[in-house]
Amino acid sequence: MWLQSRKRSPVCDKDELRQKEKEEEHPGNLKLNLQNLKYLKYLGLDNNEFTGPIPDWLGEHQYLQHLGLTENIFFASIPSSLGNVTSLNQLTVSSNLLSGNLPNTIGQLFNLRRLYIEGSLSGVLSEKHISKLFNLESILLNSDFAFNLDPNWIPPFQFHEISLRNTILGPTIPKWLNTQRTLDTLDISYSEISSINADKFLELCIQYWNNSLVPRCN
């Protein structure tokens, strides 16, 4: 009689095992099977109940152009690996439980046209974050960000839309806003501005008039 040998259990990669343990701890985590969809160009995961950290492996999707993670329960910080997805032209990471600052690697997304981030993030944004985003047209940073920019800094982009609600933009309106000749939407509510240069503000009003948006200048 032949003795039947035991079947060996498949060898499991340690990193994969750790990832599976995390998924068991947080059952709403993004699963590893999405990691294998290497040719994705559009990934919309908005308005779901995903939880846990935003996975580092999203940075491996080199063809991804749109990434939407809004209205979930992601926590921890935005992974620096997202800076590797240089094909991205839209990134929306709003209404989660994220914390910390934006990683400097966001500044590598030179194809980015729309950046929408709001919620519980905080930190200091510098030219490293945005000085190479040549194609940026629309930015929404409605969170507790402060700015460390040279007063004479001239952005390499022209915005159509700027929303910096709840940021620490003040005490005065920054000079670089006056370089935005195509701007048609500006929201700087609750941004700790306490004084306005009348001449510069009038110049902004004239620009908005030319772009078919008339603010109240009185």
Side-chain angles (χ1 to χ4, degrees):
M1 179 182 294
W2 292 95
L3 293 177
Q4 187 174 5
S5 61
R6 291 183 180 177
K7 291 184 178 180
R8 290 186 177 182
S9 58
V11 177
C12 188
D13 180 81
K14 288 183 179 179
D15 291 335
E16 186 175 343
L17 182 59
R18 291 192 190 100
Q19 181 66 31
K20 287 181 178 179
E21 289 174 351
K22 289 180 181 178
E23 289 176 358
E24 290 173 1
E25 182 181 354
H26 304 291
N29 278 9
L30 288 181
K31 304 300 182 183
L32 280 170
N33 53 3
L34 284 178
Q35 184 177 5
N36 299 323
L37 305 179
K38 300 294 187 182
Y39 293 97
L40 280 178
K41 292 184 178 181
Y42 185 105
L43 180 57
L45 301 173
D46 305 297
N47 294 283
N48 282 294
E49 297 182 1
F50 292 112
T51 186
I54 297 173
D56 283 325
W57 52 256
L58 281 173
E60 301 172 8
H61 286 66
Q62 59 179 319
Y63 300 104
L64 201 58
Q65 297 177 11
H66 176 108
L67 178 59
L69 303 174
T70 296
E71 294 283 355
N72 282 284
I73 320 172
F74 290 115
F75 54 80
S77 58
I78 294 177
S80 59
S81 61
L82 286 185
N84 298 327
V85 192
T86 55
S87 56
L88 267 183
N89 57 52
Q90 179 161 322
L91 174 61
T92 59
V93 191
S94 301
S95 300
N96 283 279
L97 300 176
L98 297 167
S99 59
N101 198 8
L102 282 182
N104 289 343
T105 53
I106 291 294
Q108 300 170 188
L109 302 177
F110 52 85
N111 284 310
L112 201 62
R113 295 184 180 276
R114 298 174 184 85
L115 176 61
Y116 300 147
I117 295 176
E118 62 179 338
S120 53
L121 291 168
S122 63
V124 178
L125 301 183
S126 67
E127 294 170 30
K128 291 180 180 179
H129 292 93
I130 53 179
S131 62
K132 294 183 180 180
L133 304 182
F134 307 108
N135 295 298
L136 204 57
E137 298 175 351
S138 180
I139 189 168
L140 183 151
L141 295 176
N142 296 346
S143 198
D144 193 20
F145 291 119
F147 296 86
N148 181 21
L149 301 172
D150 188 299
N152 298 314
W153 176 65
I154 299 177
F157 40 71
Q158 286 292 316
F159 282 124
H160 292 293
E161 176 187 21
I162 297 175
S163 179
L164 300 175
R165 293 172 63 95
N166 301 309
T167 61
I168 306 173
L169 189 63
T172 61
I173 294 179
K175 292 180 180 179
W176 64 264
L177 278 177
N178 292 84
T179 68
Q180 301 303 295
R181 304 298 178 183
T182 60
L183 193 62
D184 58 43
T185 301
L186 175 63
D187 186 353
I188 49 176
S189 307
Y190 308 103
S191 57
E192 301 191 11
I193 293 174
S194 58
S195 63
I196 292 177
N197 182 311
D199 292 336
K200 294 295 183 182
F201 186 65
L202 179 60
E203 185 178 340
L204 275 174
C205 289
I206 293 172
Q207 289 179 34
Y208 296 153
W209 182 283
N210 292 333
N211 288 311
S212 301
L213 180 67
V214 185
R216 294 182 179 179
C217 299
N218 53 2

